[in-house]
Amino acid sequence: MAAADSGNKPSGTANGGKAPPPPKAADSGFTKRLPRLAFMVLLALVYRQLQAPPSKIPGTPGAPLVTSPRIRLKDGRHLAYYESGVPKDQAKYKVIFVHGFDSCRYDVLRVSPELAQELGIYLLSFDRPGYGESDPHPGRTVDSIAFDIEQLADGLELGDKFYLTGFSMGGEIMWSCLKNIPHRLSGVAILGPVGNYWWSGYPANVSWAAWNVQIPQDQWAVRVAHYAPWLTYWWNTQKFFPASSVIAFTPRILSREDMAVIPKFASRPYAYQARQQGEHESLHRDMMVGFGKWSWSPLEMEDPFPNGEAKVHLWHGAEDLIVPVELSRYIAETLPWVRYRELPTAGHLFPVHDGMPDVILKSLLLGDE
């Protein structure tokens, strides 16, 4: 009986009466991988936040309609344009205008009909890449826009030479045109141009004086565009820190004279077109290119017209709080071939003031001071 009884005992009693250890949890491997998976999810979310949404390319499904004439460039992109002044075939002077930040082809110099007729002025303006109805150009560089302008002029048969004027960010583009296509230019007017604080040739005291004119949020926005361009979209759309004051329409960056014309500037019925493709390929791309790393500096340029065949006019408002005048002042002091005019009470928007487009174009076309 004892032997029979011992045969009926549970097998665990053979281990000193202790129960066998429980099996290992089936999900222990998953538990170990959980921190890594959480990190990967977080990384994916951060990456998604850094990526700009695709542009709404005009003429494609769900995107803005194409309502203006456009030309096709060699790489297949399109530029939308707007013509004003006298008919092209009757013009004595053909002028291409390059618009500024957060603007479009309709933001052309508003020359009076009287002056246009008197002098025979034909004005051509266009949407820069990513603005209005022009295709975006993710590969845009400091130099590429100059060749876009040259192709635009050829596509519309403006002839061997034409005049060029640009405002704000479009003013900065004038330096690229002077460097890359000077043989096509009859004269250039640079109006309140954006400057790059990292251009070689600026003394530290000049660049720092200009830098400190900016309000802190713009210093940060410009710094991000220069040092971490891949963060530009996120920086200007996140809600933790104030983004670019120009994008946000912050009133404190406007001078007294700028405030006087803001109602006129803000009531433009076409203003929405500047951002209709999205802000990244227009505003943010402007910042990344304009404030990015340049391989050359306007301060080191030689006279593009050594035989005096054309003139370069530089205009800037002394009270400009958006684009500090200190940078233009130093350029004018450094480059003897630049004709500089500083407007003592003007802010950034001086080209919008009544009568100023006539003054600017008469100076460019006739040499009036």
Side-chain angles (χ1 to χ4, degrees), residues 205-326:
N205 64 314
V206 172
S207 55
W208 275 111
W211 179 263
N212 289 324
V213 172
Q214 299 179 104
I215 60 176
Q217 70 189 77
D218 287 338
Q219 293 176 351
W220 275 104
V222 169
R223 188 182 284 119
V224 167
H226 181 78
Y227 289 110
W230 50 276
L231 273 178
T232 303
Y233 167 75
W234 175 81
W235 184 268
N236 288 286
T237 55
Q238 50 76 37
K239 306 301 180 185
F240 301 105
F241 313 104
S244 164
S245 67
V246 182
I247 294 177
F249 297 120
T250 305
R252 63 186 290 197
I253 62 173
L254 299 173
S255 72
R256 185 168 59 180
E257 288 198 7
D258 285 345
M259 289 295 292
V261 296
I262 272 295
K264 175 182 177 181
F265 192 73
S267 63
R268 298 167 298 154
Y270 51 81
Y272 72 94
Q273 291 197 25
R275 305 188 188 192
Q276 67 180 359
Q277 295 186 46
E279 295 184 4
H280 187 63
E281 285 301 332
S282 51
L283 311 184
H284 304 158
R285 185 71 62 188
D286 259 3
M287 296 178 69
M288 290 187 287
V289 174
F291 296 117
K293 295 177 173 64
W294 289 43
S295 61
W296 54 275
S297 170
L299 288 150
E300 298 169 351
M301 288 176 60
E302 296 183 357
D303 187 349
F305 311 115
N307 298 318
E309 61 270 33
K311 301 296 181 185
V312 178
H313 300 253
L314 173 59
W315 300 68
H316 214 118
E319 300 298 321
D320 194 334
L321 302 178
I322 297 176
V323 178
V325 69
E326 287 82 359

Side-chain angles (χ1 to χ4, degrees), residues 8-26:
N8 292 331
K9 289 180 181 180
S11 59
T13 58
N15 191 25
K18 295 180 181 180
K24 291 184 179 180

